Amino acid sequence: MLKALIDIVFPPMCLLCGERSPEKGFCDGCGGLVEKERIRPPLCIVCGTPFPSAKGVDHACGRCVEEPPSFTSARSAFVFEGKVLEAVHKLKYGGDTALAGPLASLLSAAHLPEGLSMVVPVPLHPARLKERGFNQSLLIARELSRNYGLSLVYDRLKRARDTGQQVGLKAAERKKNVSGAFTLDGGSFFKGRKVLLVDDVTTTGATLNECAKVLKKAGAEVIAITVARAVKL
Ligand SMILES: [Zn+2]
Ligand SMILES: [Zn+2]
């Protein structure tokens, strides 16, 4: 009743185009364009990179076979293009934090394995946090923790070194740039726990892998999830 009244006075607007929307979040048009970017199999069972051919079955990619990452698996819901890119940029650089909820709810439950005990966002360096005012990964992680009833642990994994912008760096440079950038407070807390590591976007997986490395060293198993993945490098 109250919701119906609020909807009449303040009709829900699409967070992307500003048109009236039947639901909080995206209108049908924008929602459809977001869904167009959803990653479909076949993909690497470890890092989640989609294979270029639409045929075939999921298997480990060459990179994961050669150099297995520290996470058990990583998955992204969408390709970082079109409306998804627009939504993430609006959240991250436009400060439109209301987008965290709809983006988190698009990460379907199918991505989440059994036995998770906590959600841990990829941290920002304090200098970046001060500059931006919020950590978009924490906002998404908070929504996921609420949606799935998992505890949110945001103050133990820390970015000790300011790695700056990774945009424009090649895979090897990204890896070097984030190497040793993360530290863990109270490592024993993570022993034997299954951690859902959350970031907004992944490109080469270097950041996720560095975070997973310190968590794994503390005895945790890491499942990584991101809203989007930049497929073309
Ligand atoms: Zn719209
Ligand atoms: Zn892979």
Side-chain angles (χ1 to χ4, degrees):
M1 172 75 181
L2 181 66
K3 188 188 174 291
L5 196 65
I6 291 171
D7 285 355
I8 292 167
V9 185
F10 302 105
M13 303 275 199
C14 171
L15 293 171
L16 285 174
C17 68
E19 290 291 313
R20 272 192 186 207
S21 158
E23 290 284 328
K24 196 173 145 264
F26 307 131
C27 70
D28 289 347
C30 292
L33 290 170
V34 164
E35 279 304 325
K36 245 181 75 183
E37 308 298 345
R38 197 172 279 279
I39 290 177
R40 294 178 206 291
L43 40 83
C44 170
I45 49 170
V46 184
C47 70
T49 302
F51 296 124
S53 163
K55 287 187 193 136
V57 291
D58 294 353
H59 58 274
C61 74
R63 208 164 60 121
C64 290
V65 170
E66 259 170 50
E67 214 178 320
S70 294
F71 46 75
T72 302
S73 69
R75 293 290 183 273
S76 309
F78 302 100
V79 175
F80 193 40
E81 303 262 356
K83 281 284 170 193
V84 173
L85 185 145
E86 191 186 323
V88 171
H89 276 189
K90 245 182 137 171
L91 164 64
K92 201 167 170 174
Y93 306 118
D96 199 344
T97 53
L99 277 158
L103 285 175
S105 58
L106 290 170
L107 294 171
S108 89
H111 289 280
L112 305 187
E114 298 282 307
L116 288 167
S117 47
M118 65 182 91
V119 186
V120 175
V122 169
L124 277 183
H125 186 269
R128 294 283 146 263
L129 187 61
K130 206 171 161 198
E131 196 178 83
R132 191 171 298 160
F134 62 92
N135 174 4
Q136 71 284 350
S137 302
L138 169 57
L139 297 181
I140 295 164
R142 188 176 61 184
E143 296 291 336
L144 287 173
S145 76
R146 281 182 190 152
N147 294 353
Y148 299 104
L150 299 166
S151 60
L152 175 66
V153 178
Y154 58 87
D155 54 356
R156 290 181 182 261
L157 178 64
K158 296 197 159 105
R159 198 184 288 247
R161 190 157 51 74
D162 191 359
T163 48
Q165 281 286 343
Q166 297 253 82
V167 176
L169 297 185
K170 293 205 172 71
E173 295 167 335
R174 281 173 184 262
K175 200 172 155 188
K176 201 173 147 210
N177 190 40
V178 295
S179 175
F182 298 93
T183 57
L184 209 55
D185 266 2
S188 58
F189 175 81
F190 293 94
K191 198 167 191 284
R193 314 285 290 273
K194 206 168 187 175
V195 173
L196 184 68
L197 178 68
V198 177
D199 207 355
D200 55 340
V201 180
T202 181
T203 302
T204 61
T207 300
L208 293 177
N209 195 38
E210 271 311 303
C211 290
K213 210 180 270 177
V214 293
L215 287 162
K216 193 181 177 185
K217 211 174 150 194
E221 181 188 349
V222 179
I223 309 296
I225 194 169
T226 69
V227 171
R229 168 180 306 256
V231 167
K232 285 177 226 150
L233 298 179

